[in-house]
Amino acid sequence: MRKKIVAGNWKMNNNFHEAEDLLIEIDEMMTDNPVPGVAVVLCVPFPYLEMATDMAKESNFLVGAQNLYPGESGAFTGEISAPMLASLETDVCIIGHSERRKYFHEDNALLAEKVKSALKYEIIPIFCCGETLAEREKGIHKEVVENQLKESLFHLNPDGFSNVVIAYEPVWAIGTGVNATPEQAQEMHSFIRYIVAKKYGEPLAGETSILYGGSCNSANAGVLFAQPDVDGGLIGGASLKAEEFWKIVQSFDNP
Ligand code: PGA
């Protein structure tokens, strides 16, 4: 059975004290209204990783970073490596978010290196893929996503790939308030699973968690997560309020 996952991507939000409050509030929700069978991941800014991983020792959530640099160590001013994240007991790392691709010009080849580096240090990559509006309007969205998967993930052997989580995040849905319809999400998720099955076989494709991201909130999560190939969500804006985030975690089997 593949895992159900809800991951919050806090992006560049919250100062240290606000982050601490939010972690405490989410932890309280978790204790008061646990949702068995759903893995909850909080992808916090780098400076808060230690606080989050400390708290996670007494709690039930996993802690994620939002990026890493694929070098081991050395003269890369301002960058953070996978072994650094691993030394803070970081469980997960978002790789290839569309904001990284757009603002920091990260391409598929660099992302392949980042994925390799994360896996080497036993950090689970949440690998993001997804098309822009222009690409969807041209009707090449499937081709674009297939290429992203091929060029950044398909160098992995089956063992490596079995530790990857995929997030389908159409760029036009991120932070816009316009989510993909459940039908659009299901179509792309089943396509992604088909591409993975062609490369790694049906059993491994069936075990791969594929999350949806892009304006997912408590009002639409239930129906999105009810799609057969949607295994949860990568949540941006709606992960910054504990109550809203927790409603999303509770949305499985609750369309
Ligand atoms: P959003 O962001 O939920 O604010 O649209 C999702 C993401 O960027 O991961």
Side-chain angles (χ1 to χ4, degrees):
M1 266 279 286
R2 55 189 179 248
K3 285 195 185 68
K4 294 176 178 175
I5 302 169
V6 177
N9 173 12
W10 289 10
K11 309 193 182 185
M12 195 175 72
N13 289 297
N14 289 330
N15 69 27
F16 183 84
H17 307 289
E18 290 161 345
E20 185 173 30
D21 289 346
L22 184 52
L23 286 169
I24 291 169
E25 279 180 66
I26 292 172
D27 183 43
E28 280 168 5
M29 303 263 162
M30 235 176 179
T31 313
D32 296 346
N33 300 296
V35 184
V38 179
V40 174
V41 185
L42 302 177
C43 299
V44 304
F46 289 132
Y48 314 149
L49 281 170
E50 187 178 5
M51 168 169 64
T53 53
D54 263 1
M55 229 182 255
K57 285 180 191 136
E58 306 292 318
S59 187
N60 237 338
F61 59 85
L62 299 172
V63 176
Q66 301 170 14
N67 182 34
L68 58 75
Y69 185 77
E72 300 274 316
S73 64
F76 300 100
T77 302
E79 294 297 327
I80 307 287
S81 68
M84 289 175 175
L85 297 178
S87 72
L88 289 171
E89 298 173 60
T90 308
D91 307 291
V92 170
C93 186
I94 297 173
I95 290 179
H97 191 280
S98 70
E99 287 148 17
R100 303 283 329 163
R101 294 174 188 265
K102 179 174 173 195
Y103 301 125
F104 305 98
H105 314 292
E106 297 190 358
D107 61 17
N108 292 344
L110 175 67
L111 298 176
E113 293 306 311
K114 292 190 179 204
V115 167
K116 250 192 253 172
S117 192
L119 289 172
K120 180 171 174 194
Y121 288 91
E122 298 183 2
I123 294 169
I124 295 169
I126 297 184
F127 176 78
C128 301
C129 58
E131 80 286 357
T132 62
L133 185 58
E135 288 162 344
R136 180 161 278 262
E137 283 173 350
K138 271 198 235 155
I140 57 168
H141 43 292
K142 288 188 176 165
E143 213 172 303
V144 167
V145 168
E146 182 171 358
N147 245 355
Q148 291 171 336
L149 298 175
K150 280 189 174 159
E151 292 182 10
S152 300
L153 293 182
F154 286 3
H155 60 282
L156 298 172
N157 63 27
D159 201 36
F161 187 84
S162 69
N163 291 304
V164 172
V165 172
I166 295 174
Y168 169 61
E169 297 205 306
V171 180
W172 47 271
I174 296 176
T176 58
V178 182
N179 58 286
T181 64
E183 295 73 26
Q184 286 170 324
Q186 171 55 25
E187 185 192 23
M188 286 304 284
H189 282 231
S190 95
F191 174 71
I192 290 168
R193 210 177 294 288
Y194 161 75
I195 295 300
V196 171
K198 270 210 304 192
K199 169 77 181 169
Y200 294 105
E202 298 271 352
L204 188 42
E207 293 287 307
T208 305
S209 295
I210 308 176
L211 314 183
Y212 169 77
S215 298
C216 185
N217 57 38
S218 65
N220 58 32
V223 63
L224 285 162
F225 296 176
Q227 304 307 307
D229 287 296
V230 177
D231 306 308
L234 179 56
I235 318 296
S239 73
L240 295 170
K241 295 268 178 288
E243 209 173 311
E244 170 70 2
F245 181 64
W246 206 250
K247 280 190 196 155
I248 297 173
V249 176
Q250 293 173 304
S251 296
F252 287 96
D253 308 320
N254 201 12

